[in-house]
Amino acid sequence: MDARIVRLDETVVNRIAAGEVIQRPANAIKEMIENSIDAGATSINITVSSGGLKSILIQDNGCGIRKDDMGIVCERFTTSKLRKFEDLTNISTYGFRGEALASISHVAHVTITTRTADSKCAFKAMYSDGRPIPSTQGGSTHPKPCAGNQGTQILVEDLFYNVLTRKRALKNSSEEFNKIADVIGKYSIHNSGRVGFTLKKQGQSVADIRTLPTSSLQENISTIYGPAVAKELLNVQCDNKGLGYKMAGCITNANYSTKRFTFLLFINNRLVESASLRKALEAMYNVYLPKHMHPFVYLSIDILPCNVDVNVHPTKHEVHFLHEDMIVTEIQSAVEKKLLSCNESRTYYTQALLPKVSPVSMETVRPNKGSSSSKPTYAYNLVRTDSKEQKLDAFIQPSQPSISSQPSISSQPSISSQPSISSQPSISSQPSISSQPSISSSQLEG
């Protein structure tokens, strides 16, 4: 093998970089959703086919892309949100590197249709490897005018068609669709009251996720995670001007628990993960919930942009910020304080009696002891036991009547003049003597 150092081809470099940013269809949709929100969209519709591997269609009603910018919109490091490196310290938008559309165009076929508010028509262009391509062989690469609404529509087809190893490594389409639904559900909750989301599979008329721009936070949580979570929510908030942060969110009380910890964390409106904050909240909830059960937690933290480093991960799902340990401790204390204030009583739900059903009276099932026709009640009917088991009676020997040494033998039975009447028959050790003399066997022989 030649050991010389050579410069990689630009196509190879771009595909390597695209593989770091776009790891699966859910990452591509996350990047495009963030671009739509940055464009001021209030409605975002997503349609996917085969879990996003075959096609992804995302449409918004944002400000759109100017015709003059469509030539470089899919090139790397082209953005409208950053001008110099110092702007990173005050960045407040989702995107800033200009790598989302460029990375997608290097691993898929991209078609963009967009229209601005001052444009009379929409314009459509196709892209591959970061550059516009003609729609027909020998045609022009310039955007073509077409009909369209204000906003941007992006069609992504054949994702990872040129990275077969990545495509084979992905799971089935159902698993990828679930990951897409998870991302859209989290963004719909965080953007409650501002942006409405719709997610559906291609060819289906019923949407899997549908939220309105006017829906409240509780309504969207109920839509995405079910009413059982929404009715147990507690609002929590705290802030510290000295540390430069403000937190607000919703947590579930001790009445709700599930086998999986659902943790939604947004820092400066960006969906991120924080292992330290997650562990702190789990350790706190372990005291109040049953073993191996977890809560639902949604937190939105606003930190001064100058204290946050957002450029630490290719997919931007992880950020670093100053005073992290102190902020995590204060948030944990605020959540625990809110949980304790509502933990004085537990809620138990009961079910009402069915209509037209009279309550059962104990007198109707209790036997009447004074009635002669009542059936006898046996011992094994009164206690919860097995009648076949051994009882104490087996250890008590029955009493035998005593027999005299010389019993009287007579050929004729003795007849008493008056029969004795008593409440209980008396038993004596001597044989009974009647009023008539008994005739013994010796007298008969004489």
Side-chain angles (χ1 to χ4, degrees), residues 29-281:
I29 291 180
K30 173 181 175 295
E31 297 289 344
M32 291 187 288
I33 284 177
E34 292 178 348
N35 287 341
S36 298
I37 297 176
D38 286 338
T42 59
S43 177
I44 301 176
N45 302 322
I46 304 101
T47 305
V48 299
S49 176
S50 298
L53 294 174
K54 187 176 181 180
S55 68
I56 300 173
L57 178 63
I58 178 169
Q59 184 176 6
D60 64 61
N61 61 348
C63 62
I65 303 172
R66 296 171 52 191
K67 178 184 176 182
D68 299 337
D69 297 335
M70 293 188 67
I72 62 172
V73 68
C74 285
E75 292 185 7
R76 292 188 67 194
F77 308 119
T78 56
T79 179
S80 61
K81 304 153 190 174
L82 194 66
R83 293 292 180 267
K84 54 186 178 179
F85 181 78
E86 288 74 17
D87 293 341
L88 279 175
T89 58
N90 295 316
I91 195 75
S92 59
T93 57
Y94 289 101
F96 55 88
R97 286 195 298 249
E99 286 188 304
L101 289 177
S103 299
I104 295 173
S105 68
H106 283 288
V107 294
H109 300 113
V110 179
T111 303
I112 299 178
T113 305
T114 183
R115 178 185 174 185
T116 58
D118 56 354
S119 177
K120 296 181 180 180
C121 64
F123 292 90
K124 181 178 181 180
M126 301 178 64
Y127 300 86
S128 178
D129 292 331
R131 294 185 297 270
I133 60 174
S135 58
T136 59
Q137 187 175 3
S140 174
T141 60
H142 295 290
K144 295 182 178 181
C146 63
N149 298 324
Q150 179 181 342
T152 302
Q153 176 181 293
I154 301 177
L155 175 63
V156 179
E157 297 177 297
D158 300 326
L159 189 62
F160 301 124
Y161 75 97
N162 53 0
V163 190
L164 298 181
T165 305
R166 175 67 60 82
K167 191 172 185 178
R168 286 193 295 264
L170 296 176
K171 298 181 179 180
N172 55 39
S173 58
S174 299
E175 184 68 20
E176 297 303 322
F177 182 81
N178 292 336
K179 292 184 180 295
I180 293 172
D182 181 65
V183 171
I184 295 176
K186 291 178 179 179
Y187 273 92
S188 63
I189 289 175
H190 180 68
N191 293 276
S192 299
R194 299 190 299 269
V195 184
F197 290 84
T198 301
L199 170 65
K200 66 178 182 179
K201 298 177 182 178
Q202 187 176 11
Q204 293 186 359
S205 58
V206 180
D208 292 84
I209 295 178
R210 184 185 297 275
T211 61
L212 300 177
T214 57
S215 299
S216 63
L217 177 62
Q218 286 74 14
E219 290 174 346
N220 284 346
I221 292 178
S222 177
T223 300
I224 304 301
Y225 293 98
V229 181
K231 65 183 179 182
E232 305 293 350
L233 290 177
L234 302 174
N235 295 323
V236 60
Q237 58 184 1
C238 68
D239 58 355
N240 190 325
K241 295 183 179 179
L243 299 178
Y245 85 95
K246 180 175 63 174
M247 184 273 292
C250 292
I251 62 173
T252 53
N253 55 26
N255 292 324
Y256 175 83
S257 61
T258 183
K259 294 182 179 180
R260 180 184 175 187
F261 184 22
T262 306
F263 184 38
L264 283 66
L265 176 62
F266 286 80
I267 296 181
N268 290 354
N269 297 322
R270 193 182 305 277
L271 179 62
V272 296
E273 296 178 1
S274 175
S276 58
L277 183 56
R278 184 187 185 95
K279 291 180 181 179
L281 293 176

